[in-house]
Amino acid sequence: MWGSPGLLLTLALHPALAVAPARDYCVLGAGPAGLQMAYFLQRAGRDYTVLERAPGPGSFFARYPRHRKLISINKRYTGRSNAEFNLRHDWNSLLSHDPRLLFKHYSAAYFPDAGDMQRYLGDFAGRLGLRVQYNTTVLHVALDKDRRAWNGHYFVLTDHKGQVYRCRVLLVATGLSVPNRVDFPGSEHLEGYESVSVDPEDFVGQNVLILGRGNAAFETAENILGVTNFIHMLSRSRVRLSWATHYVGDLRAINNGLLDTYQLKSLDGLLESDLTDLAILKDREGKFHVTLKFFVEEAGTNQSADAVTLPQDDSDNFAMRVAYDRVIRCLGWNFDFSIFNESLRLSSGSEFSRKYPLIRASYEAKGSRGLFVLGTASHSVDYRKSAGGFIHGFRYTVRAVHRLLEQRHHGVAWPATQHPITQLTSSVLRRVNEASGLYQMFGVLADVILVQENATAFEYLEEFPTQMLAQLESLTGRRARHGLFVVHMEYGRNFSGPEKDVFFYDRSVGHTEDAWQSNFLHPVIYYYRHLPTEQEVRFRPAQWPLPRPTAIHHIVEDFLTDWTAPVGHVLPLRRFLENCLGTDLRSFYAESCFLFALTRQKLPPFCRQGYLRKQGLVSTESLRRHGVESGLMQDHAAAGQHLRDRGQQPGDRGPVGHPPAAGMLAQSLNSDKEEL
Amino acid sequence: MCSSFRVFRVGISFVTMCIFYKSAANSLPELSPHEYFSTLQPGKASLAYFCQADSPSTSVFLEGLHEAVRPLQDYGISVAKVNCIKEETSRYCGKDKDLMKAYLFRGNILLREFPTDTLFDENAIVAHVLFALLFNEVKYITTPEDLQSAENALKGKANIVFSYVRAIGTPEHRAVMEAAFVYGTTCQFVLTTEIALLESIGSEEIEYAHLYFFHCKPVLDLTQECRRILMEQPLTTLNIDLFIKTMNAPLLTEVAEDPQHVSTVHFQLGLPLVFIVSQQATYEADKRTAEWVAWRLLGKAGVLLLLRDSLEANIPQHANVVFKRAEKGVPVEFLVLHDVDSIISHVENNVHIEEKQEDGEDDVEGPDIDIQDDEVAETVYRDRKRQLPLELTVELTEETFNATVMASDSLVLFYAGWQAVSMAFLQSYIDVAAKLKGTSTMLLTRINCADWTDVCTKQNVTEFPVVKMYKEGENPVSYAGMLGTEDLLKFIQLNRISYPVNITSIQEAEQYLHGELYKDLLSYSSVSVLGLFSPTMITAKEDFTEAGRALKGYVITGVYSGEDVLILSNKYAVTLPALLLARHKEGRIESIPLANTHAHDIVQLITDASLETFPEITVENLPSYLRLQKPLLMLFSDGSINPQHEKAVLTMVEQKHLDSLTPCWLNLKNTPVGRGILKAYFDTLPPLPLLVVVNLHSGGRVFAFPSDQAITEQNLFSWLKKLRSRIRNPISKCLLALMQHSSGVFVP
């Protein structure tokens, strides 16, 4: 299409000679993340293409998960019609404007079948007319330096047919596709999760050892639990239960049947050991024995099962002294680094997240500008913390990346709505009660409220990556000169963890003064008088998602995640906002504003921005009655009645009896709450 | 968030209900006898309760002990519960379970032992412990002779704080002990529980605790009595502290500076100041008077001698006393008082002793943390159970929204069910629906954005509440008027026709101007506006049309540009293009030339022109008049305005004497909140009618027309003239002079 195959070699070696026209955006991979990015690029009218190896989108789901059951929930009913809120409980849909493209229309199962996901992705690409080039395997990605290019270089992609694509921005959404292998003596005897039989019949009466402790390992165990003699599971670290860690990538309850039978004294069991110290020996009967690499090395060249020392030779109650019929490896996946030329400097992360490419919190590769990693492969940003490695999380981070790109390359500032300050409490409440991005990507994405001069108005930005807060102005094209609020959601600080008891008595708080001790996911609002610097973000206190703020407010956790209680949630929030801004955010009826307008020089913003602009709020009879009963409003009509009655008595000129003009000063008018 | 999460949270509901507030710091350490004695530090006091290990963990005493941990820690006294265990026997561990005691140690020396029943609550514990520790500082006496000898012993040396409490261990006793902890080294405390003793010094009411301050230090002659000053406030720690502070303050201070700026310890403690104005010639006599006054007012006010001769600030010639209220920011009063008693009574009448709350740590956080102070939120909450006739409006959803607003002219209220302002306005909205029921072609609908957030966002609604009108073939219009029944009704009614109305003939134009054309709409628009253009004035007409559209729903506008338009322009003596403004209420037609006026300015022109010259101010129309940025000349009237007053003002208006003011009047019957305004100005409701000038825009001052003068043109004229010169001058210099003429109020 863009050059003859014969030129391949020349082009690859001398990219400067390339004649292929450049695209603005190339997306690698038509999985959920790639399609999600394609959707945003398409809506913005950008020049883009998606390159996909398989003949259709979401090819990963054609084979995985092996047992076909997705563990992302498909909650079709919430009792609410709010579409944004419902996305909090829909873990499979991608974001789009088309309500037909919600996953609930594709499956009725709470844990849906992987085939439905593939069908859904096919419809998503098809209905929205996304520009995907299928059957295109990109084999090589290199850089071509060019000062005129957006990022100082082009990305040069070469596919299996030798075609070359030049791209200004490269969006890598290839997921994790290389099975993780651990190398130890005898590792050749292992069967991999990717190829092991899924037919329980093949495991009848067998002793099975599974390496790994993730959802794939347990999913495999679950499938054969009923037909094996026993299953032993071996991994380096203790099992991490997602309901204790609040991380959806950890072992989900739907897969943990084996934990139940292990603890209830069946023959199945869990063991912890470092896999790299391990060795597996195959005996003459084809059974497998577990021993230590050390013993194998000791035995030298003779590595038959009889010659090598087994742990039970020394310690006769060694747990894995039985022979296994099968050893299955379920150790997860790694990112495929192989296609990227060294010039891209796309390296893997630290020990903690080795399987992921190293990226910034803005999802841009640390090594080369203009290369963004999306989707599962971008999970290093919030690995074991939030949902960025899963559809229900990365659909929002992809949107954030798109917004950054719009600002960087097209001068389109991060979308924001402008409001008068009187709407501040409402704006926060609306978002914490319905926003799905904040809820799914808790601790990672946050709404940012930029206060305008004199605190009379504010701009509201949604779902900004919190770790990039210091660079907010350049990334969004908005100004943060007069203070800002950051709204996001958090679990209690010491609540989550593999060893934590999350069912302890008194785990929830109900009082507003204890809100900071809330354990379940709840909104937290940070106030900064000045935008934090990069240093402050980097050296923030341990465990803190953000640097120390000027002020902080926790909205008390709520059992129904409905933070609209007037006294329990709204009032403390309003007081917090008022204290930060030094202003009065209460609302008033027109009558009160009328009184203020004639007796005060400074009016509360609600009166200034509403009543004085002829948009006051008129109270009804029944509301006025309640106001008088509550003591918050004066019954002036009744007071007048009272005074008139008194006035009819001769000689009585009112309780104090000061005629106003008799040469004395009336008092100045103090109000308790003119300014907070 | 995820399924597992939801499931396991179901268990919480019960837990949530039985949470109670726990104070974080009141921890009572539980130790074994050995542990306890190893923690004792020399010189440090410590209270220990010895109990059997198997005794019940809660009791009334233990609850009190828990409470007392914090206050005692404040005095450096540690508290512990010592569990007597078999392995470690201690002589403090009694044999009998019921005879456990609390012991007070200093270092490891035993000071006192307390049976637990004397320590019946927090107050008793604190009182007893401090009483034991302050053995020397607080003398306990039982007879009048004891008191006499104590007094004699201290004359010329130290002052005495004498107090009577009904019993040891009461809150009053605790308050006295806490004060003794602070002042015990500077004053001698004497305490009694004997009523006879109190009677002997002449107290009448013996039901309550009493505290006296005996000024013994200045007494040099043993035969002379110490002066005794009774504290009048209830015995609380804070009150005693304030009282002793004022007793120790100098009796009389001499100053030579502006009283407005003087502050003494009395003033800082919230007491008023009395300045006795003195001059060189009478200095000695004045000083004696002042001392006498000071003794009389001891504990009630600070007394100062103000030397007029060396003072720069201006004090009125006759004034001999200056009174400075304790409230901050209140101007001082200059008084002419002829004897000491009238000074005392003036002070006593003007001081209301504030009940000072004892505020512990918890109160400091804000005692009203969960008390709603938002009137809209509170009233909506209180009204939540009332069923509104919501069925009078059509509830829209994502599915029905587009179809409904396309099918008929619709008004849509966008609201959020959780937002108080929205819900308050929803009531008015339903009222409108009820009033229009069966008469309007406009469909009243509403959509709850808490449920249908996407629909609202698509309609560009991101704040609440918003009302939009959808009409076929037109862009939706947002309602920008008051959020109330009347104004919204007006908006709907006026929107029955489209604006500007195209007038087709001279005859029709006259009908329009005389209110015959849209009779039923006249009550909704105070004026009808007619734009006159010759057929060639295309741009001018377009500008006017745009303005007419912008005012749609608020003012009736029409346009005429027939060939014979000159007939109208001649009749109303105006050059084209022009506006004719028909004021139907007054039956007047005004003309305004329009030359190169842009749409925006035309809107402003019409808005300004529709204002009245002497309007009745209401809650609804005040903002329109405030926009003029002029001081208001406002006549408060209880009922309709007196025609003579009205005439006086209107004549002044005609003679252009009131151009710098906005004359208006307020009917307290229609606008009862006017009473609140008068009370704010004058503290109490003055006699009505009352004329005031409210200068909100510069300085925020209010001037009242003298009530002894009749509101006539002449009086008004001369008053305003005087006032005008005051307004221009800096405030402080004209303050006193101004007082002669009117009452000036500063609006903060």
Side-chain angles (χ1 to χ4, degrees):
Chain A
M1 189 177 164
W2 293 328
S4 70
L7 278 174
L8 166 66
L9 210 63
T10 332
L11 285 171
L13 292 173
H14 305 285
L17 297 175
V19 288
R23 286 221 177 263
D24 287 352
Y25 296 98
C26 296
V27 183
L28 274 191
L35 294 181
Q36 185 68 79
M37 183 47 103
Y39 168 75
F40 289 120
L41 291 170
Q42 173 127 330
R43 291 284 281 181
R46 302 296 166 214
D47 174 44
Y48 79 95
T49 190
V50 184
L51 303 174
E52 168 59 45
R53 180 172 51 182
S59 62
F60 181 86
F61 294 98
R63 186 157 182 82
Y64 303 110
R66 292 297 314 283
H67 305 88
R68 308 314 287 147
K69 189 189 266 187
L70 297 175
I71 52 175
S72 46
I73 60 171
N74 175 37
K75 194 162 175 53
R76 294 183 302 151
Y77 306 103
T78 61
R80 300 277 297 272
S81 60
N82 186 316
E84 178 67 24
F85 175 88
N86 286 344
L87 277 175
R88 288 182 170 188
H89 305 288
D90 173 350
W91 295 14
N92 296 290
S93 299
L94 294 179
L95 303 177
S96 80
H97 60 281
D98 187 346
R100 292 172 304 171
L101 288 172
L102 286 174
F103 195 78
K104 64 178 177 187
H105 303 308
Y106 289 79
S107 170
Y110 192 46
F111 292 103
D113 188 86
D116 292 329
M117 176 53 79
Q118 214 185 359
R119 188 163 56 86
Y120 170 75
L121 294 175
D123 271 13
F124 190 86
R127 280 217 183 142
L128 297 167
L130 304 180
R131 295 194 284 277
V132 188
Q133 197 175 320
Y134 295 107
N135 301 312
T136 307
T137 310
V138 171
L139 295 175
H140 189 251
V141 181
L143 275 189
D144 173 13
K145 294 247 182 277
D146 186 334
R147 267 192 294 162
R148 289 161 302 168
W150 287 356
N151 293 297
H153 47 243
Y154 288 101
F155 296 94
V156 182
L157 281 52
T158 313
D159 75 7
H160 62 291
K161 285 185 266 178
Q163 269 188 6
V164 170
Y165 310 85
R166 283 161 61 78
C167 314
R168 295 189 171 88
V169 172
L170 180 62
L171 302 152
V172 179
T174 51
L176 302 180
S177 54
V178 184
N180 186 25
R181 291 188 166 83
V182 178
D183 199 30
F184 55 81
S187 59
E188 69 274 10
H189 302 310
L190 306 184
E191 293 174 83
Y193 169 77
E194 62 279 5
S195 57
V196 72
S197 163
V198 293
D199 183 0
E201 286 299 311
D202 295 343
F203 297 84
V204 172
Q206 293 188 350
N207 303 345
V208 179
L209 177 66
I210 298 178
L211 306 182
R213 189 149 296 174
N215 277 301
F218 276 90
E219 166 201 318
T220 307
E222 190 83 16
N223 186 44
I224 55 176
L225 198 52
V227 295
T228 52
N229 297 335
F230 57 79
I231 302 170
H232 288 170
M233 299 186 76
L234 180 67
S235 73
R236 186 172 48 185
S237 55
R238 58 168 290 166
V239 65
R240 298 168 55 91
L241 298 165
S242 66
W243 43 262
T245 60
H246 302 116
Y247 170 64
V248 290
D250 286 330
L251 177 59
R252 302 282 305 285
I254 181 175
N255 281 333
N256 71 10
L258 187 135
L259 295 183
D260 184 72
T261 56
Y262 167 48
Q263 295 290 357
L264 295 177
K265 57 194 186 300
S266 75
L267 295 169
D268 306 314
L270 267 69
L271 298 145
E272 283 86 33
S273 164
D274 195 336
L275 297 183
T276 50
D277 293 340
L278 212 65
I280 298 231
L281 299 173
K282 191 174 185 178
D283 68 12
R284 274 164 298 185
E285 289 157 34
K287 304 233 176 191
F288 301 106
H289 296 269
V290 175
T291 184
L292 298 174
K293 198 195 252 175
F294 169 72
F295 291 138
V296 176
E297 281 159 3
E298 220 173 33
T301 46
N302 186 353
Q303 298 200 346
S304 74
D306 308 328
V308 178
T309 317
L310 296 175
Q312 56 264 42
D313 298 343
D314 293 337
S315 158
D316 57 8
N317 63 345
F318 176 60
M320 286 180 288
R321 57 188 182 272
V322 288
Y324 295 99
D325 295 296
R326 281 167 178 244
V327 183
I328 306 170
R329 159 178 58 73
C330 304
L331 298 172
W333 282 269
N334 292 325
F335 180 74
D336 184 0
F337 288 94
S338 67
I339 61 169
F340 297 95
N341 183 292
E342 275 180 16
S343 60
L344 280 96
R345 291 184 291 164
L346 194 65
S347 54
S348 74
S350 62
E351 189 180 358
F352 179 57
S353 55
R354 184 156 291 163
K355 54 185 176 177
Y356 299 110
L358 202 60
I359 54 174
R360 299 172 198 280
S362 59
Y363 300 90
E364 190 164 18
K366 285 203 172 139
S368 40
R369 191 176 152 88
L371 190 159
F372 289 84
V373 179
L374 311 176
T376 306
S378 70
H379 197 24
S380 61
V381 171
D382 59 338
Y383 182 57
R384 285 193 172 163
K385 288 195 184 88
S386 202
F390 312 91
I391 294 177
H392 64 284
F394 65 61
R395 61 190 181 203
Y396 304 102
T397 60
V398 166
R399 180 157 68 184
V401 170
H402 176 248
R403 285 170 175 166
L404 295 175
L405 291 170
E406 286 290 297
Q407 157 65 13
R408 186 191 280 183
H409 298 304
H410 310 286
V412 179
W414 191 284
T417 48
Q418 271 80 20
H419 303 278
I421 204 76
T422 49
Q423 290 284 332
L424 185 58
T425 320
S426 289
S427 294
V428 174
L429 278 175
R430 182 184 186 185
R431 287 288 293 168
V432 300
N433 278 299
E434 68 180 29
S436 60
L438 298 186
Y439 195 82
Q440 307 285 27
M441 289 306 291
F442 62 91
V444 178
L445 297 181
D447 285 3
V448 180
I449 297 169
L450 303 176
V451 180
Q452 307 296 294
E453 204 169 357
N454 298 329
T456 53
F458 64 92
E459 279 185 311
Y460 200 104
L461 281 66
E462 294 178 0
E463 293 165 22
F464 182 79
T466 46
Q467 297 308 299
M468 301 304 289
L469 195 59
Q471 293 92 331
L472 179 123
E473 293 198 337
S474 61
L475 291 180
T476 63
R478 309 266 170 197
R479 294 276 155 267
R481 293 292 151 84
H482 306 285
L484 64 153
F485 292 96
V486 178
V487 181
H488 80 161
M489 300 186 112
E490 290 175 12
Y491 279 99
R493 215 141 271 172
N494 293 311
F495 188 48
S496 313
E499 74 290 356
K500 294 284 166 65
D501 169 19
V502 287
F503 297 108
F504 68 92
Y505 188 74
D506 259 8
R507 62 188 169 277
S508 72
V509 299
H511 286 281
T512 47
E513 58 266 35
D514 303 329
W516 60 281
Q517 293 175 313
S518 294
N519 279 319
F520 291 97
L521 196 64
H522 63 280
V524 185
I525 296 127
Y526 291 70
Y527 173 65
Y528 295 94
R529 207 163 278 141
H530 308 285
L531 196 62
T533 62
E534 262 186 270
Q535 288 282 309
E536 284 167 346
V537 173
R538 190 173 310 152
F539 300 111
R540 64 188 184 274
Q543 304 285 316
W544 281 57
L546 283 164
R548 216 175 274 284
T550 311
I552 191 167
H553 177 69
H554 292 255
I555 301 183
V556 69
E557 59 188 334
D558 190 80
F559 189 57
L560 304 173
T561 65
D562 176 8
W563 288 281
T564 59
V567 173
H569 303 135
V570 183
L571 180 65
L573 170 66
R574 196 198 80 216
R575 292 245 166 84
F576 167 75
L577 299 172
E578 284 175 336
N579 286 334
C580 291
L581 299 176
T583 188
D584 183 348
L585 296 177
R586 291 177 295 174
S587 40
F588 296 93
Y589 290 112
E591 199 175 74
S592 302
C593 293
F594 176 79
L595 179 70
F596 297 157
L598 288 171
T599 55
R600 294 183 184 186
Q601 286 206 292
K602 201 164 180 249
L603 264 59
F606 190 86
C607 292
R608 222 164 39 227
Q609 296 175 350
Y611 177 71
L612 284 191
R613 292 182 185 166
K614 306 178 202 175
Q615 293 172 5
L617 174 69
V618 183
S619 64
T620 63
E621 196 42 54
S622 122
L623 291 172
R624 205 188 335 264
R625 214 169 37 242
H626 286 299
V628 172
E629 276 166 20
S630 71
L632 286 170
M633 290 162 77
Q634 296 285 318
D635 189 359
H636 297 290
Q641 198 60 48
H642 175 69
L643 278 165
R644 249 198 316 281
D645 292 346
R646 290 185 61 116
Q648 282 162 5
Q649 294 164 18
D652 186 350
R653 300 195 60 179
V656 185
H658 288 308
M664 69 166 299
L665 264 165
Q667 285 176 8
S668 75
L669 306 159
N670 286 318
S671 81
D672 296 331
K673 206 174 167 176
E674 193 217 349
E675 273 178 283
L676 260 160
Chain B
M1 95 159 270
C2 55
S3 66
S4 46
F5 178 67
R6 294 238 133 212
V7 172
F8 81 85
R9 287 192 64 180
V10 173
I12 307 166
S13 56
F14 171 70
V15 181
T16 324
M17 286 159 65
C18 48
I19 287 169
F20 54 91
Y21 178 70
K22 281 177 285 188
S23 182
N26 291 4
S27 68
L28 178 63
E30 298 203 19
L31 307 168
S32 74
H34 175 73
E35 283 168 337
Y36 173 70
F37 286 109
S38 65
T39 59
L40 295 180
Q41 293 165 21
K44 279 211 73 177
S46 158
L47 179 71
Y49 170 55
F50 284 78
C51 65
Q52 300 289 358
D54 54 348
S55 65
S57 59
T58 54
S59 68
V60 179
F61 170 70
L62 273 177
E63 274 173 35
L65 195 61
H66 266 281
E67 303 268 299
V69 170
R70 273 279 282 284
L72 285 177
Q73 270 171 359
D74 292 344
Y75 296 107
I77 302 156
S78 60
V79 183
K81 180 184 169 205
V82 180
N83 293 322
C84 295
I85 43 176
K86 287 218 178 78
E87 296 77 37
E88 297 178 36
T89 46
S90 163
R91 64 191 177 95
Y92 299 108
C93 294
K95 299 243 160 43
D96 193 340
K97 251 185 220 174
D98 301 326
L99 279 175
M100 303 314 281
K101 284 180 176 172
Y103 298 88
L104 180 68
F105 296 91
R106 180 177 275 143
N108 46 18
I109 302 158
L110 175 66
L111 291 185
R112 274 287 297 272
E113 56 177 79
F114 302 103
T116 51
D117 56 354
T118 59
L119 306 181
F120 44 86
D121 68 358
E122 180 196 343
N123 289 320
I125 295 173
V126 176
H128 272 286
V129 168
L130 289 179
F131 199 23
L133 288 174
L134 298 171
F135 181 75
N136 290 321
E137 286 83 354
V138 184
K139 212 171 243 163
Y140 182 79
I141 55 169
T142 50
T143 62
E145 291 73 40
D146 291 345
L147 182 60
Q148 195 57 51
S149 59
E151 219 180 311
N152 286 339
L154 289 161
K155 277 177 187 164
K157 297 192 185 100
N159 295 324
I160 297 178
V161 177
F162 167 70
S163 51
Y164 157 79
V165 292
R166 279 181 301 165
I168 299 295
T170 55
E172 291 79 20
H173 180 214
R174 173 185 174 179
V176 172
M177 295 321 302
E178 289 187 299
F181 192 89
V182 179
Y183 294 102
T185 51
T186 54
C187 306
Q188 176 66 51
F189 278 69
V190 175
L191 182 80
T192 188
T193 49
E194 298 297 320
I195 291 176
L197 188 50
L198 188 65
E199 280 170 335
S200 76
I201 61 169
S203 260
E204 286 161 8
E205 269 189 85
I206 45 176
E207 225 167 288
Y208 303 105
H210 279 68
L211 188 136
Y212 285 88
F213 194 93
F214 290 9
H215 288 267
C216 291
K217 205 176 176 183
V219 178
L220 300 172
D221 181 357
L222 277 180
T223 56
Q224 210 181 328
E225 291 270 290
C226 302
R227 247 177 233 279
R228 297 167 173 181
I229 309 289
L230 173 67
M231 178 172 124
E232 288 174 354
Q233 292 91 338
L235 263 67
T236 65
T237 311
L238 201 65
N239 285 341
I240 298 175
D241 177 60
L242 286 179
F243 180 70
I244 294 178
K245 269 198 187 121
T246 53
M247 288 300 121
N248 283 329
L251 185 64
L252 183 67
T253 316
E254 288 184 22
V255 290
E257 50 183 313
D258 186 353
Q260 194 69 55
H261 304 304
V262 172
S263 172
T264 68
V265 63
H266 299 91
F267 193 65
Q268 285 147 19
L269 291 174
L271 296 176
L273 298 182
V274 176
F275 297 82
I276 308 294
V277 182
S278 171
Q279 42 207 349
Q280 211 78 56
T282 57
Y283 175 75
E284 284 306 320
D286 291 337
K287 193 174 173 186
R288 273 197 303 279
T289 316
E291 274 176 4
W292 179 235
V293 171
W295 277 118
R296 296 274 306 267
L297 287 175
L298 203 55
K300 292 174 193 144
V303 180
L304 302 95
L305 198 62
L306 183 67
L307 304 171
R308 187 198 286 271
D309 306 312
S310 44
L311 188 64
E312 282 175 23
N314 196 9
I315 292 177
Q317 195 59 45
H318 302 293
N320 59 2
V321 173
V322 184
F323 184 57
K324 182 173 182 178
R325 285 170 187 273
E327 295 85 14
K328 296 256 151 56
V330 181
V332 296
E333 287 172 34
F334 298 96
L335 307 163
V336 183
L337 299 168
H338 297 291
D339 52 43
V340 172
D341 282 336
S342 52
I343 299 178
I344 309 292
S345 67
H346 183 88
V347 174
E348 282 174 349
N349 291 339
N350 283 286
V351 176
H352 60 105
I353 295 157
E354 266 181 70
E355 286 281 314
K356 287 229 165 66
Q357 293 268 317
E358 287 273 288
D359 46 357
E361 295 259 326
D362 293 345
D363 297 325
V364 176
E365 300 230 337
D368 57 345
I369 182 87
D370 46 11
I371 293 176
Q372 182 64 267
D373 55 356
D374 183 311
E375 61 189 37
V376 181
E378 180 66 13
T379 50
V380 167
Y381 182 71
R382 282 174 182 246
D383 206 37
R384 68 195 181 281
K385 290 195 175 152
R386 194 161 64 91
Q387 289 284 319
L388 290 175
L390 289 172
E391 66 283 357
L392 292 172
T393 57
V394 178
E395 183 172 12
L396 300 181
T397 67
E398 184 160 23
E399 288 77 36
T400 58
F401 186 89
N402 282 328
T404 310
V405 300
M406 304 243 276
S408 65
D409 291 355
S410 317
L411 207 61
V412 184
L413 167 65
F414 297 86
Y415 68 105
W418 46 262
Q419 197 218 24
V421 176
S422 282
M423 295 314 281
F425 179 54
L426 180 62
Q427 299 205 355
S428 302
Y429 192 76
I430 301 290
D431 281 352
V432 170
K435 291 203 166 122
L436 287 176
K437 198 177 172 188
T439 63
S440 175
T441 55
M442 183 78 72
L443 187 67
L444 263 70
T445 68
R446 65 193 157 84
I447 184 161
N448 186 349
C449 296
D451 293 334
W452 305 104
T453 187
D454 287 1
V455 182
C456 302
T457 310
K458 258 180 222 155
Q459 298 300 317
N460 235 337
V461 175
T462 51
E463 35 192 81
F464 318 108
V466 165
V467 175
K468 283 192 176 200
M469 191 175 62
Y470 293 79
K471 273 187 160 181
E472 207 193 330
E474 291 177 27
N475 286 331
V477 180
S478 289
Y479 170 67
M482 291 273 278
L483 300 175
T485 312
E486 259 178 63
D487 287 63
L488 184 61
L489 205 56
K490 191 191 280 185
F491 178 79
I492 297 171
Q493 296 290 18
L494 287 176
N495 262 301
R496 289 192 339 230
I497 52 174
S498 62
Y499 298 97
V501 179
N502 216 349
I503 303 292
T504 50
S505 69
I506 294 282
Q507 205 179 9
E508 201 184 20
E510 291 287 0
Q511 281 177 345
Y512 173 86
L513 289 172
H514 291 94
E516 289 152 22
L517 201 55
Y518 297 109
K519 240 183 194 136
D520 49 338
L521 293 183
L522 290 186
S523 59
Y524 301 111
S525 174
S526 57
V527 292
S528 296
V529 181
L530 182 63
L532 299 180
F533 305 93
S534 70
T536 54
M537 298 172 173
I538 291 164
T539 355
K541 191 178 158 187
E542 269 171 12
D543 275 330
F544 177 76
T545 309
E546 202 185 316
R549 277 200 214 106
L551 288 167
K552 158 184 155 134
Y554 308 100
V555 181
I556 300 178
T557 55
V559 64
Y560 183 66
S561 58
E563 296 286 350
D564 51 0
V565 68
L566 279 177
I567 300 174
L568 280 174
S569 71
N570 288 338
K571 177 173 175 191
Y572 294 103
V574 70
T575 49
L576 295 180
L579 294 184
L580 294 182
L581 205 78
R583 295 183 191 275
H584 303 297
K585 215 161 67 181
E586 298 155 47
R588 243 173 347 123
I589 295 171
E590 291 167 17
S591 54
I592 302 166
L594 268 188
N596 289 326
T597 319
H598 291 292
H600 178 77
D601 300 320
I602 299 175
V603 170
Q604 203 52 63
L605 198 71
I606 295 175
T607 314
D608 289 348
S610 46
L611 297 180
E612 296 172 42
T613 44
F614 186 43
E616 180 194 336
I617 282 292
T618 61
V619 171
E620 284 73 27
N621 70 14
L622 177 72
S624 307
Y625 292 95
L626 282 185
R627 227 185 45 76
L628 302 174
Q629 305 261 329
K630 292 181 195 169
L632 302 175
L633 173 71
M634 201 161 173
L635 181 71
F636 285 87
S637 169
D638 196 9
S640 326
I641 190 168
N642 179 329
Q644 280 170 351
H645 298 165
E646 184 175 22
K647 196 169 149 255
V649 175
L650 283 174
T651 320
M652 296 270 292
V653 170
E654 261 164 51
Q655 292 167 354
K656 308 248 176 238
H657 293 312
L658 299 181
D659 284 0
S660 61
L661 299 168
T662 302
C664 56
W665 67 285
L666 187 142
N667 185 343
L668 289 176
K669 286 227 162 61
N670 297 337
T671 313
V673 64
R675 285 197 183 84
I677 292 165
L678 289 173
K679 268 187 221 152
Y681 292 164
F682 305 109
D683 255 1
T684 146
L685 207 58
L688 295 175
L690 174 72
L691 193 64
V692 297
V693 166
V694 185
N695 190 3
L696 289 166
H697 298 286
S698 56
R701 305 177 67 189
V702 178
F703 305 91
F705 184 77
S707 61
D708 50 359
Q709 292 183 25
I711 303 178
T712 64
E713 248 175 271
Q714 267 166 353
N715 288 341
L716 201 53
F717 183 78
S718 61
W719 179 63
L720 286 175
K721 199 173 153 196
K722 273 182 214 152
L723 218 53
R724 217 157 275 148
S725 60
R726 304 299 171 220
I727 292 173
R728 269 199 299 274
N729 288 339
I731 289 161
S732 59
K733 277 188 189 162
C734 67
L735 186 72
L736 294 171
L738 185 70
M739 283 163 53
Q740 314 301 320
H741 301 284
S742 63
S743 143
V745 175
F746 296 88
V747 179

